[in-house]
Amino acid sequence: MEKGELYYVYAYTPEKVYITKQGSNKVELLEGVTDDFKKNLAEGYILRRKDNNFSVDEELTEKSMNFELDFDNYKE
């Protein structure tokens, strides 16, 4: 099953959320999501993109917030 691409919330402000895709060294602006979705994010959150839709990966986000996740080397 296709799990989708993983993104790390690199920097957060109420207006702009910057993310980096796993395996990439580029930081990009999170686009195509609602303001409500953005309001519930924070630096260190892990997002999953599938079919052009972003969602928060709760399990990986919890590991990330507890410094238990090596995002760049994480494999599913």
Side-chain angles (χ1 to χ4, degrees):
M1 179 177 131
E2 170 68 38
K3 295 229 179 204
E5 302 163 310
L6 292 175
Y7 289 81
Y8 180 87
V9 176
Y10 183 78
Y12 174 88
T13 68
E15 295 83 31
K16 294 182 177 167
V17 178
Y18 292 94
I19 57 175
T20 183
K21 184 176 170 181
Q22 189 180 39
S24 170
N25 58 4
K26 284 192 280 198
V27 174
E28 55 191 275
L29 194 57
L30 175 60
E31 296 178 309
V33 297
T34 65
D35 287 342
D36 279 347
F37 183 80
K38 284 184 192 173
K39 279 184 205 153
N40 292 312
L41 299 177
E43 286 175 31
Y45 271 45
I46 306 300
L47 304 180
R48 188 176 289 280
R49 185 170 85 176
K50 189 172 180 199
D51 302 325
N52 266 346
N53 293 315
F54 282 98
S55 61
V56 174
D57 187 305
E58 305 285 348
E59 188 180 325
L60 291 181
T61 293
E62 186 174 329
K63 286 183 179 177
S64 174
M65 293 308 208
N66 291 327
F67 304 102
E68 297 167 359
L69 179 69
D70 180 354
F71 181 69
D72 289 327
N73 295 310
Y74 174 77
K75 301 254 187 293
E76 296 196 278

